[in-house]
Amino acid sequence: KRKILKHNFSLPGSDLEDEDNEKREGTEADIAALYRFYSKHLEMPDHKDLLTLYSQVACNGFTVEDDELFQMGAAIYPDVALINHSCLPSVIVTYNGTSSEVRAVQNMKPGDEVLISYIDLLYPTEDRNKRLRESYYFTCDCNECKTKSKDNAKVKVRKRSDPFEPQVISNMVRYGRNSIREFRALKNVKSPSELLEMCEQSLEEMGAVFDDSNVYMLHMMYQAMGVCIYMQDADGAIRYGKKLLKPYSKLYPPYSLNVSSMYLKLGRIYMNVERRSEGVSALKKALAIMEVAHGKDHPYIKEVRREMGQK
Ligand SMILES: [Zn+2]
């Protein structure tokens, strides 16, 4: 599935052509910028070779993230890039210096396929597969995609004596997806307080139909928490973080860096505002996941223990 592709564009007749064109335009702009800045000083590959390289990196590259999933850069690991995707991954990739490390998060027998996740697994099956098709050009047929066992919980609606019409729910799902897209587009344009208002507005709108544990609600709460952290609003960040943790633990796989990083963020904020016992308890939960995903000797583990006041 994750092959070194010669070109990852132009699958004829696919419904992805618009997105393909958009992506292609973005890549062409990047290549033009590279030429503008470097072609006078460096020997550059020709346009076609650069396009090929860009496509290969897009499909095979890894985003290197720290313990709170803050993006630090991109890297190519040709061997790890051979590992296929599953929405129920058997292993997790972490980073240690410039190396990547792969550790099992499920019991595995000899001969079992090693599978990682290429995407954020919070979202329902349809959304995950849209993302996989857009970025990696395949549809997943893992057990979770076949059974969709978590989809109902992921798009949970409020309990009412008079249940919502399916049309009302699907309209709200569309609204949720639009809010996500809109926030992403305006993230680097609007001011933090404007962004926070966007989150609160869409949460209020969706909250009329969706349960607090609905993933479209969780997405906007996560963004709101990020804005609060940026604005150094500890109370706001804690308020959102606390709402995220329980559904996160339920909706993500048992060992997930999304869950450990959330415990870590919240734990560190608690420690910063001198709420030590809540802080230590959150950091302990992060450690329980990280000891499996990162391994007990990873520098991040030592750092968290130091923050907790242990040797
Ligand atoms: Zn799947």
Side-chain angles (χ1 to χ4, degrees), residues 119-176:
I119 53 165
D120 188 331
L121 295 173
L122 182 65
Y123 304 94
T125 306
E126 196 186 321
D127 299 32
R128 291 197 309 278
N129 276 291
K130 183 167 187 284
R131 178 72 214 287
L132 287 170
R133 281 192 296 271
E134 280 171 13
S135 301
Y136 301 102
Y137 302 91
F138 70 90
T139 304
C140 182
D141 61 355
C142 77
N143 208 38
E144 185 53 37
C145 284
K146 279 184 205 137
T147 63
K148 307 180 184 197
S149 71
K150 287 185 172 172
D151 278 11
N152 278 338
K154 288 180 173 182
V155 195
K156 195 172 173 189
V157 295
R158 284 189 170 280
K159 275 208 179 70
R160 286 204 320 184
S161 50
D162 173 26
F164 291 105
E165 296 288 331
Q167 190 63 41
V168 173
I169 298 170
S170 63
N171 281 345
M172 200 50 89
V173 167
R174 198 170 316 128
Y175 175 89

